[in-house]
Amino acid sequence: MRFFPWGFWLLCVASAPARGDSGSKARSCAEVRQLYGAKGFSLSGVPQAEISGEHLRICPQGYTCCTSEMEENFANKSRSEFEAMMKEAGRSVQTTLTAQHRSFDGYFQDLLNKSEKALYDAFPSMYGELYTQNMKVFKDLYSELRRYYRGSNINLEEALNEFWTRLLERLFKLMNPQYHITDEYLDCMVKHAEQHKPFGEVPRDLKVKATRAFIAARSYAQGFLVGSDVVRKVSQVSLSHECTRAIMKLMYCPHCRGMSSVKPCNNYCLNVVKGCLANQADLNTEWKYLMDSLVVVADRIDGPYNVDTVIGTIHMRIAEAISNLQENKDSITAKVFQGCGNPKISTKGSSSEDKKRRGKVALEAKSSAQALEMLVLDAKGNLTALKTYWITLPSSLCSKKVMASSVADDKCWNGMSKGSYLPEVMGDGLANQINNPEVEVDITKPDMTIRQQIMQLKIMTNRLGNANIGNDVDFQDASDDMSGSGSGDSCPDDVCGKRLSKSPSTRQPETHAIPKQSGHGINGASSRSLPSAFLLLLSVAFIAVQHLWR
């Protein structure tokens, strides 16, 4: 009978739950106390040694160093830290895109500034009164070109047509000072003179080349800002309650279990992060199309629509046009008189035309083709590197931020204990999370903020597709807050984003073929063409669905 109490006691000890990984002795909580204090929390109430964990709601309920309050604080901390990781990763992408925009924007505006300065420097000595009395016409042209590039409501073709009309009217009067020429007579003169091409082929040639170059440049610059703005907004999306619990379990439960030195299993981390960033991963397809479209337009800017050649020589083309008019002044005047009648002789008398060199002064355009080539090469490299950002983000966060273990590690934190992680890694995107073992994801309720940004990517890609084939694009649907994307001067006008034509445009709406994922071109026969009307309908549908879900 003496042996029964001892045997009973031994049986009780043997049946007691094991504590952590090492026997039954209560382990010290020194490591978790140090971590908890370093996170800014009070150590009051923090256990000195492990306690029973029946109170835990997120971490496994074995022996633990965490109280309910600690678990809650760790959960809130893990949420804020993970959201900070997302914003930091996003800022890196934003920095890259805004830097590319800034480089191209500076280059393009410098081209325009140099062309305008060359005109102001050379034209007074070349044309005398022909320039000094018409200085405002030239200044207005460059002002309109800048406003168009920045996204204002300018119809570029009409702006160029208006420039040539105003210039012709003024020069015709200056070249015929002995006549009293009324506004009505000028209207007739313009109609008759246009068929005689008083400026030669320059207006038509410049209109074709300049519009293509400006359309491509404006869309290209805007594409970087839209991409940056999308990243900014998506990076601010908050974690769900389910994700907060999963991130806490991933990052802090091993500390509560006395395993501070054990890293999370890599595949375990991937499943948690892929579940929490499932909506973000759905950006991948349209994001890649935007990056590819920017690459294609970059090739246009440095190729067929070469902005260095076109924009940097505007002043030279204007000088060429004026010279053509001077050389053909007599024949053009005669044809105008024949069509409109002889104007009355001016009672003020005629003054001799100011002597000028008639364009013999050499005008030069300093080429910056090499700088453009380097800009495009740098941009293409960065765009290619960013193409897979959304689907590589979980892996990047796990390896660089969460510090997960290697894939082969079989002594890592698997969410319950130290060991291997057996479940398979889920695919990317919302639809693939239906069986995620770590995060409960409602695949029927996509995040509306992210869906709206997917639509912004589609709209911008459509604009770039139009720009690629030289068609003007409408910026009416531009993102509502470009100021947050890192550029303060992308849209200075109150009416930025809306194009207001002086007269109805004859141009038909264009559709755009999304570029192939390889980025080597845009397939005109692609089935991913997105007409503007379709985009509008799709936008309305998204808004309607959003209200229903609310």
Side-chain angles (χ1 to χ4, degrees):
M1 296 295 294
R2 291 181 179 178
F3 294 98
F4 174 74
W6 285 100
F8 181 75
W9 180 81
L10 289 172
L11 180 63
C12 290
V13 170
S15 63
R19 302 184 181 187
D21 300 311
S22 57
S24 59
K25 184 178 180 180
R27 290 181 298 190
S28 169
C29 292
E31 288 185 345
V32 75
R33 285 175 60 86
Q34 183 179 3
L35 173 69
Y36 195 67
K39 296 295 180 180
F41 300 115
S42 170
L43 293 180
S44 175
V46 178
Q48 296 286 347
E50 287 182 330
I51 59 175
S52 180
E54 290 85 356
H55 57 278
L56 297 177
R57 295 294 176 264
I58 300 175
C59 296
Q61 293 184 334
Y63 279 90
T64 183
C65 284
C66 290
T67 63
S68 294
E69 181 183 1
M70 292 173 66
E71 189 180 44
E72 182 180 353
N73 287 338
F74 273 141
N76 292 331
K77 194 67 176 178
S78 63
R79 182 183 65 247
S80 62
E81 288 179 345
F82 188 79
E83 289 176 351
M85 292 178 195
M86 277 291 295
K87 291 178 182 178
E88 183 182 352
R91 278 193 294 269
S92 176
V93 178
Q94 286 179 259
T95 298
T96 299
L97 293 174
T98 52
Q100 291 299 325
H101 170 266
R102 194 178 301 113
S103 296
F104 178 77
D105 181 69
Y107 163 81
F108 187 85
Q109 301 230 38
D110 187 55
L111 270 182
L112 208 52
N113 291 340
K114 286 180 179 178
S115 173
E116 184 176 22
K117 184 177 184 302
L119 186 148
Y120 294 160
D121 289 344
F123 274 34
S125 60
M126 290 172 63
Y127 301 116
E129 287 186 2
L130 289 183
Y131 170 73
T132 56
Q133 294 188 18
N134 297 285
M135 186 183 301
K136 189 176 186 302
V137 177
F138 300 107
K139 287 187 175 181
D140 287 347
L141 171 65
Y142 281 94
S143 176
E144 292 288 273
L145 292 177
R146 286 191 181 88
R147 290 182 62 212
Y148 174 84
Y149 168 70
R150 290 170 180 166
S152 295
N153 58 332
I154 305 294
N155 184 303
L156 189 55
E157 290 188 4
E158 290 183 2
L160 290 170
N161 289 337
E162 178 70 12
F163 165 73
W164 293 115
T165 298
R166 290 177 62 197
L167 186 62
L168 178 60
E169 290 175 347
R170 290 170 176 264
L171 295 186
F172 186 82
K173 291 181 71 172
L174 281 173
M175 291 188 299
N176 296 280
Q178 68 274 31
Y179 296 105
H180 176 67
I181 299 176
T182 63
D183 290 342
E184 291 77 11
Y185 192 89
L186 286 176
D187 290 338
C188 178
M189 180 274 298
V190 169
K191 293 177 182 177
H192 281 80
E194 282 181 351
Q195 61 184 315
H196 305 306
K197 298 181 179 178
F199 294 118
E201 295 293 335
V202 173
R204 186 195 66 82
D205 185 58
L206 183 61
K207 181 166 67 175
V208 170
K209 292 180 178 178
T211 51
R212 287 180 174 178
F214 269 91
I215 290 167
R218 183 173 78 162
S219 301
Y220 183 68
Q222 189 75 5
F224 287 114
L225 294 181
V226 168
S228 177
D229 197 58
V230 166
V231 174
R232 178 180 65 86
K233 289 180 178 177
V234 172
S235 298
Q236 293 174 347
V237 173
S238 300
L239 281 181
S240 67
H241 175 70
E242 292 77 11
C243 278
T244 298
R245 293 172 59 88
I247 293 294
M248 154 64 187
K249 189 176 180 181
L250 171 74
M251 297 174 65
Y252 286 108
C253 282
H255 296 282
C256 290
R257 293 280 292 183
M259 304 179 193
S260 297
S261 61
V262 180
K263 295 180 179 180
C265 298
N266 184 72
N267 287 353
Y268 169 43
C269 180
L270 287 177
N271 274 342
V272 171
V273 179
K274 283 193 175 192
C276 291
L277 301 184
N279 282 282
Q280 286 83 341
D282 282 345
L283 286 157
N284 177 62
T285 298
E286 298 305 330
W287 178 262
K288 286 198 300 183
Y289 287 136
L290 177 65
M291 298 296 105
D292 285 340
S293 296
L294 283 167
V295 168
V296 171
V297 175
D299 283 331
R300 289 288 187 180
I301 287 172
D302 191 29
Y305 305 159
N306 192 285
V307 295
D308 180 70
T309 302
V310 177
I311 310 305
T313 61
I314 290 176
H315 61 291
M316 299 177 67
R317 303 311 307 277
I318 294 174
E320 180 185 347
I322 295 174
S323 295
N324 289 335
L325 178 64
Q326 289 177 324
E327 292 171 3
N328 299 297
K329 183 188 75 168
D330 294 338
S331 63
I332 291 171
T333 299
K335 290 174 182 177
V336 170
F337 284 2
Q338 183 180 359
C340 299
N342 292 331
K344 295 179 180 180
I345 300 296
S346 175
T347 56
K348 296 180 181 179
S350 61
S351 59
S352 60
E353 188 181 352
D354 191 20
K355 292 182 180 180
K356 48 214 163 281
R357 301 186 186 182
R358 296 182 178 271
K360 297 302 180 182
V361 175
L363 279 176
E364 295 182 0
K366 295 182 179 179
S367 176
S368 56
Q370 187 174 4
L372 176 60
E373 182 180 358
M374 294 303 297
L375 277 176
V376 168
L377 283 174
D378 184 51
K380 289 167 68 174
N382 281 303
L383 291 168
T384 301
L386 291 176
K387 280 175 61 172
T388 59
Y389 170 70
W390 296 108
I391 56 172
T392 58
L393 184 58
S395 177
S396 176
L397 290 176
C398 283
S399 62
K400 297 178 182 178
K401 303 298 181 181
V402 181
M403 302 299 290
S405 67
S406 64
V407 177
D409 190 359
D410 61 354
K411 294 182 180 179
C412 49
W413 170 250
N414 60 20
M416 296 299 295
S417 61
K418 182 169 71 173
S420 58
Y421 183 76
L422 300 179
E424 65 176 337
V425 177
M426 297 293 100
D428 300 305
L430 191 62
N432 287 316
Q433 306 310 312
I434 189 168
N435 294 317
N436 193 310
E438 308 304 335
V439 188
E440 184 179 343
V441 182
D442 187 349
I443 66 172
T444 66
K445 293 183 178 180
D447 183 272
M448 291 310 300
T449 297
I450 293 176
R451 299 296 137 173
Q452 289 166 358
Q453 297 313 304
I454 290 175
M455 180 57 63
Q456 288 298 324
L457 293 174
K458 289 182 178 180
I459 292 170
M460 189 65 240
T461 300
N462 189 53
R463 294 177 189 143
L464 287 163
N466 277 305
N468 177 60
I469 55 178
N471 288 333
D472 207 349
V473 286
D474 187 352
F475 278 77
Q476 186 171 353
D477 296 320
S479 182
D480 57 356
D481 183 16
M482 283 302 158
S483 61
S485 59
S487 174
D489 60 354
S490 61
C491 245
D493 300 282
D494 295 337
V495 288
C496 172
K498 297 182 181 178
R499 186 178 51 141
L500 180 63
S501 301
K502 297 179 182 177
S503 60
S505 174
T506 58
R507 201 163 33 249
Q508 296 298 316
E510 294 291 337
T511 58
H512 157 233
I514 302 293
K516 298 177 182 178
Q517 292 187 12
S518 62
H520 293 304
I522 292 183
N523 183 356
S526 170
S527 63
R528 289 193 53 86
S529 296
L530 293 173
S532 299
F534 175 74
L535 289 176
L536 180 60
L537 289 173
L538 196 55
S539 299
V540 173
F542 268 114
I543 295 172
V545 172
Q546 183 177 11
H547 283 292
L548 286 174
W549 280 338
R550 287 178 181 173

